Amino acid sequence: LFPDLGLAGELPAVWLTLIGFALPFTIFLLSVAMMRLPANLIDAARGDGASHAQVFWHIALPLAAPTVAGVAVLLFLWGWNEYLVPLTMIGGTNPEALPTTVRLVAYSVPTGGSGIAAAACIHSAVAIGVFLALERSFSHALVMSVDY
């Protein structure tokens, strides 16, 4: 059904696996967010002569932007934390496809493990940075989901 792409143990296979796991969750959350948009606003735009694309780009997407940002934060953190699962599923020993946590431990073991705590802080800094960059939108998405 699906052809062999020859990606076993390669980085694109890891990302394709993560996308495959995250796609149903993303579709569910975004479809719920789009269904909760005010129908009167969309009908008013249609009455003013807006096309499907104009309604999506100028009305639906700006209203759903906090939800999109919230989903982006959740999916990034999920992918960042679950990077080992697809790697285990696709196999291979390509060092480029190894998760950061495995690389950091591999670099720290020869030094007696003294660098594991520092490496863990550096590894978590990326996730914290992404969350802080989108924190306002993420919090707004949570508030909007309760307000409806």
Side-chain angles (χ1 to χ4, degrees):
L1 181 65
F2 193 76
D4 182 18
L5 301 175
L7 295 176
E10 298 294 323
L11 197 55
V14 174
W15 287 108
L16 286 173
T17 306
L18 284 172
I19 290 169
F21 280 135
L23 201 56
F25 178 72
T26 305
I27 290 170
F28 172 72
L29 286 180
L30 291 180
S31 66
V32 168
M34 293 294 179
M35 283 190 284
R36 297 184 91 179
L37 294 177
N40 296 340
L41 193 59
I42 295 171
D43 290 340
R46 293 247 188 255
D48 289 341
S51 67
H52 291 295
Q54 288 173 327
V55 168
F56 178 74
W57 285 108
H58 297 291
I59 295 173
L61 196 59
L63 288 174
T67 305
V68 171
V71 168
V73 168
L74 287 174
L75 290 179
F76 174 80
L77 293 176
W78 183 19
W80 189 256
N81 290 330
E82 295 295 327
Y83 199 41
L84 190 58
V85 173
L87 180 70
T88 304
M89 293 177 74
I90 64 169
T93 57
N94 182 3
E96 290 181 9
L98 287 176
T100 310
T101 50
V102 173
R103 289 185 196 176
L104 294 175
V105 170
Y107 293 143
S108 298
V109 169
T111 63
S114 60
I116 292 179
C121 289
I122 293 169
H123 177 72
S124 64
V126 174
I128 291 170
V130 168
F131 178 77
L132 290 177
L134 296 174
E135 184 267 333
R136 177 174 290 181
S137 297
F138 185 68
S139 299
H140 188 66
L142 292 176
V143 170
M144 284 182 62
S145 67
V146 172
D147 287 346
Y148 287 128

